[in-house]
Amino acid sequence: FWLKPSASDFVAACEFLPTANARKRRTSMAVTKEEDVQMMLVCKTHLGTRNCDYRMKRYVFRRTVDGIHIIHLGKTWEKIMVAARVICAIENPSDIIVASQRPYGSRAVLKFSQYTGALAMAGRWMPGTLTNQITTKYLEPRLLIVTDPRTDSQALKEASYANIPVLALCDTDSPLENVDIAIPANNKGKESI
């Protein structure tokens, strides 16, 4: 027999049609480089520190009057695209470890792993996670992502021993030893991470 469709059934059926609302939903995600750069400006991703590592100088746009280095967001966007290609090249997302020891970075790590299926290591890094095969916590990932190379130095050292590529969010004062892909960004701010 015939059931009269309710309003919620109609809304659910219309979600898949290319209507104006669907176009609005699709455009809520940034499509162009300019929109991405504007979002990074709002999140203060461009603000660096007063100190600048010599390997991070190529990512610095200029220095303000009070001595803060400004990160070139065009280069940040290019590095994010490179990182996205690397992450997409890994077939199984559970082979990616995302680590952060910073309190602000731990929320970002948990959100990233929730949406991508990667393994989150928020909080203290257990030494020997990538090198000590006897422990029950031993892991063999294909990629390691860290939010700060300075605070996550133990994870970087272990990844270098195990030949695991490392992707890191690096501020202007971050050391780049054992980092394969450095994304220049403000890794001190909650919104930026």
Side-chain angles (χ1 to χ4, degrees), residues 39-103:
M39 288 174 68
M40 285 190 269
L41 276 171
V42 169
C43 296
K44 298 183 174 112
T45 307
H46 63 290
L47 297 178
T49 59
R50 290 182 188 271
N51 298 328
C52 185
D53 191 66
Y54 70 97
R55 288 162 293 197
M56 289 296 291
K57 275 194 179 178
R58 66 177 133 179
Y59 303 118
V60 173
F61 177 64
R62 65 186 176 98
R63 194 172 181 177
T64 61
V65 179
D66 49 336
I68 295 173
H69 292 88
I70 304 295
I71 296 170
H72 194 290
L73 288 180
K75 294 181 180 181
T76 301
W77 186 83
E78 290 171 5
K79 285 292 196 157
I80 288 173
M81 293 300 115
V82 170
R85 288 189 186 115
V86 169
I87 292 170
C88 288
I90 296 172
E91 302 87 20
N92 189 4
S94 63
D95 286 342
I96 300 172
I97 292 181
V98 190
S100 176
Q101 291 187 13
R102 288 180 170 269

Side-chain angles (χ1 to χ4, degrees), residues 16-19 21-31:
F16 301 105
L17 296 175
T19 60
N21 289 339
R23 280 193 292 275
K24 282 181 192 172
R25 265 182 272 143
R26 249 185 269 133
T27 58
S28 67
M29 190 175 77
V31 178

Side-chain angles (χ1 to χ4, degrees), residues 2-188:
W2 171 260
L3 287 175
K4 186 175 180 183
S6 65
S8 61
D9 294 334
F10 180 74
V11 170
C14 288
E15 281 185 33
F16 301 105
L17 296 175
T19 60
N21 289 339
R23 280 193 292 275
K24 282 181 192 172
R25 265 182 272 143
R26 249 185 269 133
T27 58
S28 67
M29 190 175 77
V31 178
T32 63
K33 178 179 178 180
E34 290 78 24
E35 290 176 6
D36 286 333
V37 168
Q38 284 178 347
M39 288 174 68
M40 285 190 269
L41 276 171
V42 169
C43 296
K44 298 183 174 112
T45 307
H46 63 290
L47 297 178
T49 59
R50 290 182 188 271
N51 298 328
C52 185
D53 191 66
Y54 70 97
R55 288 162 293 197
M56 289 296 291
K57 275 194 179 178
R58 66 177 133 179
Y59 303 118
V60 173
F61 177 64
R62 65 186 176 98
R63 194 172 181 177
T64 61
V65 179
D66 49 336
I68 295 173
H69 292 88
I70 304 295
I71 296 170
H72 194 290
L73 288 180
K75 294 181 180 181
T76 301
W77 186 83
E78 290 171 5
K79 285 292 196 157
I80 288 173
M81 293 300 115
V82 170
R85 288 189 186 115
V86 169
I87 292 170
C88 288
I90 296 172
E91 302 87 20
N92 189 4
S94 63
D95 286 342
I96 300 172
I97 292 181
V98 190
S100 176
Q101 291 187 13
R102 288 180 170 269
Y104 284 158
S106 61
R107 183 173 185 264
V109 161
L110 294 170
K111 285 275 189 185
F112 180 84
S113 63
Q114 175 186 351
Y115 289 117
T116 60
L119 183 66
M121 302 277 292
R124 185 176 181 273
W125 177 267
M126 184 67 71
T129 303
L130 304 177
T131 54
N132 191 356
Q133 299 165 351
I134 299 170
T135 62
T136 57
K137 301 266 184 186
Y138 176 70
L139 298 169
E140 288 184 280
R142 297 203 39 215
L143 178 68
L144 175 68
I145 303 173
V146 295
T147 57
D148 189 8
R150 188 166 309 229
T151 56
D152 301 319
S153 60
Q154 179 68 33
L156 287 179
K157 190 187 293 185
E158 289 185 26
S160 70
Y161 291 155
N163 286 335
I164 297 168
V166 176
L167 199 147
L169 292 174
C170 297
D171 211 336
T172 54
D173 62 345
S174 296
L176 292 184
E177 285 94 8
N178 305 323
V179 175
D180 296 307
I181 299 173
I183 300 173
N186 175 12
N187 60 11
K188 312 285 191 287

